[in-house]
Amino acid sequence: MTLTTKLTALTFGATLVAGAAVAEDSLTYAGSGGGLAQVMKGVFDDPFTAETGVTVNALATSDRASALKAMQVAGKVTWDVAELNPIEYATASLSGWLEPLDWAAMDPDGVLPAEAKLEDAGIAATFSTIMAVRTDKLPEGKQMTSWADFWDVETFPGGRALQNQPIDNLEFALLADGVAPADIYTVLATEEGQDRAFAKLDEIKPHVTAWWTAGAQPVQMLSDGEVAYTSAWNGRITKLAEEGVPVEINWNGGGIKASYVAIVKGSEKAELGQQYISYMMTDPERAAQFASMVPYPGMVNGLYDHLPAEKGAMMPTHPDNVSGQFVTDAVFWGMHLGELKERWEDWIFE
């Protein structure tokens, strides 16, 4: 730790202590409610209150993008920190409805990777869209290890399924065509890159026997043997494997999706909001406690030192799984979803 970060840490820590001395303040958190809110109360909210004296008022909310817009238009902000899905985050960020975050103060020890620290939000939880493989359908002695293999129908015959949407599939197509994960969105931001992705999709389209629209569908198709290879959400495939179906996850080329936390523009408690987000994201032991109860892990370094190895190995941010994946760029999709969805719908019916 550098002298600067040490000083920053001391300053931030002193702020927390000062908050404890006040012991009268509160913070409003707009989340999803339900079981997730109960887990957050036990892991984050109550311990945060015990340490700082700041009460967390957790609200069960939906359609947070519309609510944020209404607050900004009315000039009356009633939330301090909000949980946001990727499209909500992209909408809010592009519209300027979020406060900038001071990561030097929030993560003085640098325990979070750069990908988790956005200018106006943090990535607090994740899941991944991965390739799921029926191992008993593989040719003898072969392993499907990449999206290039998924496209290779001669070496790997068998039915395939993909989700019926441009998000993920355009990225998978570029990976199959040799684009590095780090370059996906640079390529996809160009007209040539979009043409390249759709041209690659043209190759696999005749071999896709089903375009799924709900997360349960690829699970059922794999279980029934209707398809041998498909995209799917990682948590569902983990459960399918636990039920004894011969399936495995190929993490290489998976698309990590984020649940974001951000401070609402105009909140009068932005500093408390930063403390709460830091508390939520930067303690690996606390993050592991959350991930052991809800299989949507954060990204803090050291999280997997506090989880059983077998459980951690099935999560998208595990060190053995994360390196070959890409983080789905919510802002890119916020800017381009309309045009690419329209092109996708034309393409799928061709």
Side-chain angles (χ1 to χ4, degrees), residues 132-184:
V133 176
R134 272 288 297 248
T135 54
D136 58 337
K137 304 293 183 183
L138 286 166
E140 186 175 354
K142 299 289 185 181
Q143 293 292 321
M144 184 174 278
T145 61
S146 68
W147 288 105
D149 288 343
F150 187 92
W151 255 251
D152 184 355
V153 296
E154 293 186 4
T155 304
F156 299 96
R160 284 147 165 83
L162 290 167
Q163 190 173 7
N164 186 6
Q165 64 166 18
I167 299 174
D168 288 330
N169 288 322
L170 297 187
E171 290 96 322
F172 297 158
L174 290 179
L175 290 172
D177 207 34
V179 175
D183 297 330
I184 286 175

Coordinates of all heavy atoms in Angstrom, one line a residue, residues 132-184:
A132 N -23.0 -24.6 -22.2 CA -23.3 -25.8 -21.5 C -23.2 -27.0 -22.4 O -23.7 -26.9 -23.6 CB -24.7 -25.8 -20.8
V133 N -22.5 -28.0 -22.0 CA -22.2 -29.2 -22.9 C -22.7 -30.5 -22.3 O -22.5 -30.7 -21.1 CB -20.7 -29.3 -23.1 CG1 -20.3 -30.5 -23.9 CG2 -20.2 -28.0 -23.8
R134 N -23.5 -31.3 -23.0 CA -23.8 -32.6 -22.6 C -22.6 -33.5 -22.9 O -22.3 -33.8 -24.1 CB -25.0 -33.1 -23.4 CG -26.4 -32.8 -22.9 CD -26.7 -33.7 -21.6 NE -26.7 -35.1 -21.8 CZ -27.9 -35.8 -21.7 NH1 -29.0 -35.2 -21.5 NH2 -27.8 -37.1 -21.9
T135 N -21.9 -33.9 -21.9 CA -20.6 -34.6 -22.0 C -20.8 -35.9 -22.7 O -19.9 -36.4 -23.4 CB -19.9 -34.8 -20.7 OG1 -20.9 -35.4 -19.8 CG2 -19.5 -33.4 -20.1
D136 N -22.0 -36.6 -22.6 CA -22.2 -37.9 -23.2 C -22.5 -37.8 -24.7 O -22.6 -38.8 -25.4 CB -23.3 -38.6 -22.5 CG -24.6 -37.9 -22.5 OD1 -24.6 -36.6 -22.6 OD2 -25.7 -38.5 -22.4
K137 N -22.6 -36.5 -25.2 CA -22.9 -36.3 -26.6 C -21.6 -36.0 -27.4 O -21.6 -35.8 -28.6 CB -23.9 -35.2 -26.8 CG -25.2 -35.4 -26.1 CD -26.0 -36.6 -26.7 CE -27.4 -36.7 -26.0 NZ -28.1 -37.9 -26.5
L138 N -20.5 -35.7 -26.6 CA -19.3 -35.4 -27.3 C -18.7 -36.6 -28.0 O -18.8 -37.7 -27.6 CB -18.2 -34.9 -26.2 CG -18.5 -33.5 -25.6 CD1 -17.6 -33.4 -24.3 CD2 -18.2 -32.4 -26.6
P139 N -18.0 -36.3 -29.2 CA -17.3 -37.4 -29.8 C -16.2 -37.9 -28.9 O -15.6 -37.2 -28.1 CB -16.7 -36.7 -31.1 CG -17.5 -35.5 -31.3 CD -18.0 -35.0 -29.9
E140 N -15.9 -39.2 -29.0 CA -15.0 -39.8 -28.1 C -13.6 -39.1 -28.2 O -13.1 -38.9 -29.3 CB -14.8 -41.3 -28.5 CG -13.9 -42.1 -27.5 CD -13.9 -43.6 -27.8 OE1 -14.6 -44.0 -28.7 OE2 -13.1 -44.3 -27.2
G141 N -13.1 -38.8 -27.0 CA -11.8 -38.2 -27.0 C -11.8 -36.7 -27.2 O -10.7 -36.1 -27.3
K142 N -13.0 -36.1 -27.5 CA -13.0 -34.6 -27.8 C -13.6 -33.8 -26.6 O -14.5 -34.3 -25.9 CB -13.9 -34.4 -29.0 CG -13.4 -35.1 -30.3 CD -12.2 -34.5 -30.9 CE -11.8 -35.1 -32.2 NZ -10.6 -34.5 -32.7
Q143 N -13.1 -32.6 -26.5 CA -13.7 -31.7 -25.5 C -14.0 -30.4 -26.3 O -13.3 -29.9 -27.1 CB -12.6 -31.3 -24.5 CG -12.3 -32.5 -23.6 CD -13.5 -32.9 -22.7 OE1 -14.2 -32.1 -22.2 NE2 -13.6 -34.2 -22.5
M144 N -15.2 -29.8 -26.0 CA -15.6 -28.6 -26.6 C -15.2 -27.5 -25.6 O -15.6 -27.4 -24.5 CB -17.1 -28.5 -26.8 CG -17.6 -27.2 -27.5 SD -19.4 -27.3 -27.8 CE -19.4 -28.2 -29.4
T145 N -14.2 -26.6 -26.1 CA -13.6 -25.7 -25.2 C -13.7 -24.2 -25.6 O -13.2 -23.4 -24.9 CB -12.1 -26.0 -25.0 OG1 -11.5 -25.9 -26.3 CG2 -11.9 -27.4 -24.5
S146 N -14.4 -23.9 -26.7 CA -14.5 -22.5 -27.1 C -15.7 -22.4 -28.0 O -16.3 -23.3 -28.5 CB -13.2 -22.2 -27.9 OG -13.2 -22.9 -29.2
W147 N -16.1 -21.1 -28.3 CA -17.2 -20.8 -29.2 C -16.8 -21.2 -30.6 O -17.7 -21.5 -31.4 CB -17.6 -19.4 -29.1 CG -18.3 -19.1 -27.8 CD1 -17.8 -18.4 -26.8 CD2 -19.6 -19.6 -27.5 NE1 -18.8 -18.5 -25.7 CE2 -19.9 -19.1 -26.2 CE3 -20.6 -20.3 -28.1 CZ2 -21.1 -19.4 -25.5 CZ3 -21.8 -20.6 -27.5 CH2 -22.0 -20.1 -26.2
A148 N -15.5 -21.2 -30.9 CA -15.1 -21.8 -32.2 C -15.4 -23.2 -32.4 O -15.9 -23.7 -33.4 CB -13.5 -21.5 -32.4
D149 N -15.3 -24.0 -31.3 CA -15.7 -25.4 -31.3 C -17.2 -25.5 -31.4 O -17.7 -26.4 -32.1 CB -15.3 -26.1 -30.0 CG -13.8 -26.3 -29.9 OD1 -13.1 -26.2 -30.9 OD2 -13.3 -26.6 -28.8
F150 N -18.0 -24.6 -30.8 CA -19.4 -24.6 -30.9 C -19.8 -24.4 -32.4 O -20.8 -25.0 -32.8 CB -20.0 -23.5 -30.0 CG -21.5 -23.5 -29.9 CD1 -22.1 -24.1 -28.9 CD2 -22.3 -22.8 -30.8 CE1 -23.5 -24.1 -28.8 CE2 -23.7 -22.7 -30.7 CZ -24.3 -23.4 -29.7
W151 N -19.1 -23.6 -33.1 CA -19.4 -23.4 -34.5 C -18.9 -24.5 -35.4 O -19.3 -24.6 -36.5 CB -18.7 -22.1 -34.9 CG -19.6 -20.9 -35.1 CD1 -19.9 -20.3 -36.3 CD2 -20.2 -20.1 -34.1 NE1 -20.8 -19.2 -36.1 CE2 -21.0 -19.1 -34.7 CE3 -20.3 -20.2 -32.7 CZ2 -21.8 -18.2 -34.0 CZ3 -21.0 -19.3 -32.0 CH2 -21.8 -18.3 -32.6
D152 N -18.0 -25.4 -34.9 CA -17.4 -26.5 -35.7 C -18.4 -27.7 -35.6 O -18.2 -28.6 -34.8 CB -16.1 -26.8 -35.1 CG -15.4 -27.9 -35.9 OD1 -15.9 -28.4 -36.9 OD2 -14.2 -28.2 -35.5
V153 N -19.3 -27.7 -36.6 CA -20.4 -28.7 -36.6 C -19.9 -30.1 -37.1 O -20.5 -31.1 -37.0 CB -21.6 -28.3 -37.3 CG1 -22.2 -27.1 -36.6 CG2 -21.3 -27.9 -38.8
E154 N -18.7 -30.0 -37.8 CA -18.2 -31.3 -38.4 C -17.5 -32.1 -37.3 O -17.7 -33.3 -37.1 CB -17.2 -31.0 -39.5 CG -17.9 -30.4 -40.8 CD -17.0 -30.3 -41.9 OE1 -15.8 -30.7 -41.8 OE2 -17.4 -29.7 -43.0
T155 N -16.7 -31.4 -36.5 CA -16.0 -32.1 -35.4 C -16.9 -32.4 -34.2 O -16.8 -33.4 -33.6 CB -14.8 -31.2 -34.9 OG1 -14.0 -30.9 -35.9 CG2 -14.0 -31.9 -33.8
F156 N -17.9 -31.5 -34.0 CA -18.9 -31.7 -32.9 C -20.3 -31.7 -33.4 O -21.0 -30.7 -33.3 CB -18.7 -30.6 -31.9 CG -17.3 -30.5 -31.3 CD1 -16.3 -29.6 -31.8 CD2 -17.0 -31.3 -30.2 CE1 -15.1 -29.6 -31.2 CE2 -15.7 -31.2 -29.6 CZ -14.8 -30.4 -30.1
P157 N -20.7 -32.8 -34.0 CA -22.1 -32.9 -34.5 C -23.1 -32.9 -33.3 O -22.7 -33.3 -32.2 CB -22.1 -34.2 -35.3 CG -21.0 -35.0 -34.7 CD -20.0 -34.0 -34.3
G158 N -24.3 -32.5 -33.6 CA -25.3 -32.5 -32.6 C -26.1 -31.2 -32.5 O -25.6 -30.2 -33.0
G159 N -27.3 -31.3 -32.0 CA -28.2 -30.1 -31.9 C -27.6 -29.0 -31.0 O -27.0 -29.3 -30.0
R160 N -27.9 -27.8 -31.4 CA -27.5 -26.6 -30.7 C -28.6 -25.7 -30.4 O -29.6 -25.7 -31.1 CB -26.4 -25.9 -31.5 CG -25.0 -26.5 -31.5 CD -24.3 -26.3 -32.8 NE -22.9 -26.6 -32.7 CZ -22.4 -27.8 -32.9 NH1 -23.2 -28.9 -33.1 NH2 -21.1 -28.0 -32.8
A161 N -28.5 -24.9 -29.3 CA -29.5 -23.9 -28.9 C -28.8 -22.6 -28.5 O -27.7 -22.7 -27.9 CB -30.4 -24.4 -27.8
L162 N -29.4 -21.5 -28.8 CA -28.9 -20.2 -28.4 C -30.1 -19.3 -28.0 O -31.2 -19.6 -28.4 CB -28.1 -19.5 -29.5 CG -26.8 -20.1 -29.9 CD1 -26.3 -19.5 -31.2 CD2 -25.7 -19.9 -28.8
Q163 N -29.9 -18.3 -27.2 CA -30.9 -17.4 -26.8 C -31.4 -16.5 -27.9 O -30.5 -16.1 -28.7 CB -30.5 -16.6 -25.6 CG -31.7 -15.8 -24.9 CD -31.2 -15.1 -23.7 OE1 -30.1 -15.1 -23.3 NE2 -32.2 -14.5 -23.0
N164 N -32.7 -16.3 -28.0 CA -33.2 -15.4 -29.1 C -33.0 -14.0 -28.8 O -34.0 -13.3 -28.4 CB -34.6 -15.8 -29.4 CG -35.2 -15.1 -30.6 OD1 -34.5 -14.4 -31.3 ND2 -36.5 -15.3 -30.8
Q165 N -31.8 -13.5 -28.9 CA -31.6 -12.0 -28.6 C -30.2 -11.7 -29.2 O -29.3 -12.6 -29.2 CB -31.6 -11.7 -27.2 CG -30.6 -12.4 -26.3 CD -30.5 -11.8 -24.9 OE1 -31.4 -11.1 -24.5 NE2 -29.4 -12.0 -24.2
P166 N -29.9 -10.5 -29.5 CA -28.6 -10.1 -30.0 C -27.5 -10.1 -28.9 O -26.3 -10.4 -29.2 CB -28.8 -8.7 -30.6 CG -29.9 -8.2 -29.9 CD -30.8 -9.3 -29.6
I167 N -27.9 -9.7 -27.7 CA -26.9 -9.7 -26.6 C -26.4 -11.1 -26.4 O -27.1 -12.0 -26.3 CB -27.6 -9.1 -25.3 CG1 -28.1 -7.7 -25.5 CG2 -26.6 -9.1 -24.1 CD1 -28.9 -7.2 -24.3
D168 N -25.1 -11.2 -26.2 CA -24.3 -12.4 -26.1 C -24.0 -13.0 -27.4 O -22.9 -13.4 -27.7 CB -25.0 -13.4 -25.2 CG -25.0 -13.1 -23.7 OD1 -24.1 -12.4 -23.3 OD2 -26.0 -13.4 -23.0
N169 N -25.1 -13.2 -28.3 CA -24.8 -14.0 -29.5 C -23.9 -13.3 -30.4 O -23.0 -13.9 -31.1 CB -26.1 -14.3 -30.2 CG -26.9 -15.3 -29.5 OD1 -26.4 -16.3 -28.9 ND2 -28.2 -15.2 -29.4
L170 N -23.9 -11.9 -30.5 CA -23.0 -11.2 -31.3 C -21.6 -11.3 -30.8 O -20.6 -11.4 -31.5 CB -23.4 -9.7 -31.4 CG -24.8 -9.4 -32.1 CD1 -25.0 -7.9 -32.3 CD2 -24.9 -10.2 -33.4
E171 N -21.5 -11.3 -29.4 CA -20.2 -11.4 -28.8 C -19.6 -12.8 -29.0 O -18.5 -13.0 -29.4 CB -20.3 -11.2 -27.3 CG -20.5 -9.7 -26.9 CD -22.0 -9.4 -26.7 OE1 -22.9 -10.0 -27.4 OE2 -22.3 -8.6 -25.8
F172 N -20.5 -13.8 -28.9 CA -20.0 -15.2 -29.1 C -19.6 -15.4 -30.5 O -18.6 -16.1 -30.8 CB -21.2 -16.2 -28.8 CG -21.6 -16.2 -27.3 CD1 -22.9 -16.7 -27.0 CD2 -20.8 -15.8 -26.3 CE1 -23.4 -16.7 -25.7 CE2 -21.3 -15.8 -25.0 CZ -22.5 -16.2 -24.7
A173 N -20.3 -14.8 -31.5 CA -19.9 -15.0 -32.9 C -18.5 -14.4 -33.1 O -17.7 -14.9 -33.9 CB -21.0 -14.3 -33.8
L174 N -18.3 -13.2 -32.6 CA -17.0 -12.6 -32.8 C -15.9 -13.4 -32.1 O -14.8 -13.6 -32.7 CB -17.0 -11.1 -32.2 CG -17.8 -10.1 -33.0 CD1 -17.7 -8.8 -32.3 CD2 -17.3 -10.0 -34.4
L175 N -16.1 -14.0 -30.9 CA -15.1 -14.8 -30.3 C -14.9 -16.0 -31.2 O -13.7 -16.5 -31.4 CB -15.6 -15.3 -29.0 CG -15.7 -14.2 -27.9 CD1 -16.4 -14.8 -26.6 CD2 -14.3 -13.8 -27.5
A176 N -16.0 -16.6 -31.8 CA -15.8 -17.8 -32.7 C -15.0 -17.4 -33.9 O -14.4 -18.3 -34.5 CB -17.2 -18.3 -33.0
D177 N -15.1 -16.1 -34.3 CA -14.3 -15.7 -35.5 C -12.9 -15.2 -35.2 O -12.3 -14.6 -36.0 CB -15.2 -14.5 -36.2 CG -14.9 -14.5 -37.6 OD1 -14.7 -15.5 -38.3 OD2 -14.9 -13.3 -38.2
G178 N -12.5 -15.3 -33.9 CA -11.1 -15.0 -33.6 C -10.9 -13.7 -32.9 O -9.7 -13.4 -32.7
V179 N -11.9 -13.0 -32.6 CA -11.7 -11.7 -31.8 C -11.4 -12.0 -30.4 O -12.0 -12.9 -29.8 CB -13.0 -10.8 -32.0 CG1 -12.8 -9.6 -31.1 CG2 -13.2 -10.5 -33.4
A180 N -10.4 -11.3 -29.8 CA -10.0 -11.5 -28.4 C -11.1 -10.9 -27.5 O -11.7 -9.9 -27.9 CB -8.7 -10.8 -28.1
P181 N -11.3 -11.5 -26.3 CA -12.4 -10.9 -25.4 C -12.2 -9.4 -25.2 O -13.2 -8.7 -25.1 CB -12.2 -11.8 -24.2 CG -11.6 -13.1 -24.6 CD -10.7 -12.7 -25.8
A182 N -11.0 -9.0 -25.0 CA -10.8 -7.6 -24.7 C -11.2 -6.6 -25.8 O -11.4 -5.4 -25.6 CB -9.3 -7.3 -24.3
D183 N -11.3 -7.2 -27.1 CA -11.5 -6.3 -28.2 C -13.0 -6.4 -28.7 O -13.3 -5.8 -29.7 CB -10.6 -6.7 -29.4 CG -9.1 -6.5 -29.0 OD1 -8.9 -5.6 -28.2 OD2 -8.3 -7.3 -29.5
I184 N -13.8 -7.2 -28.1 CA -15.2 -7.4 -28.6 C -15.9 -6.1 -28.8 O -16.5 -5.9 -29.9 CB -16.0 -8.3 -27.6 CG1 -15.5 -9.7 -27.6 CG2 -17.4 -8.3 -27.9 CD1 -16.1 -10.6 -26.5

